[in-house]
Amino acid sequence: MFESIQRYRDYYAGALLILIGLSTIYQSSRYDVGTLAEIGPGFFPMVMGVILAGCGLAIAFNQSTAADAEHDAETLGRPEWRGWGCILGGVLAFILLAHTGGLFPATFACVFISAMGDRTMAVRNAAVLALGISVFGVLLFHYGLKIQLAPFAWMAR
């Protein structure tokens, strides 16, 4: 059974994204979408639902090549625990640091720890990636969208 799930994992993943996207579209339709000039509260979730459903369709109907099938047969049944652990650790780091450290340190830790889940990622490259995304995140979310999370916790005091 595990082997059949692994063989069709792209279809299952695509179907899950389609389901999440469609349910997001349905829920966001209950809110005012507004116009492009005056966007309502339902606009962003609606767009994200469409993007999720579109990505799900692309994943589910992506044609695998023979080389991919051979590679899948070789790696079948070997979960990538390092990647799982680093991604979950990155999310937990963001949750723990957002309030106590601020948006910048939380984003930096999340991206850095998650990037280290890739066995080919160098520490320097992960740090540069985390720095770039942290700066972009602070500019976008704090200054652009006015999210009420200070870039650094000591700035909120």
Side-chain angles (χ1 to χ4, degrees), residues 112 116 121-129:
F112 182 80
M116 294 312 297
M121 180 64 74
V123 173
R124 180 177 176 268
N125 293 346
V128 169
L129 175 68

Side-chain angles (χ1 to χ4, degrees), residues 2 11 17 29 44 51 60 65-66 73 79-80 99 102 120 126 133 136 138-139 147 157:
F2 182 71
Y11 296 113
L17 282 178
S29 68
F44 185 73
I51 291 172
T65 63
E80 189 63 44
H99 181 66
T120 62
I133 290 178
F136 177 75
V138 167
L139 291 174
I147 300 295
R157 296 178 184 142

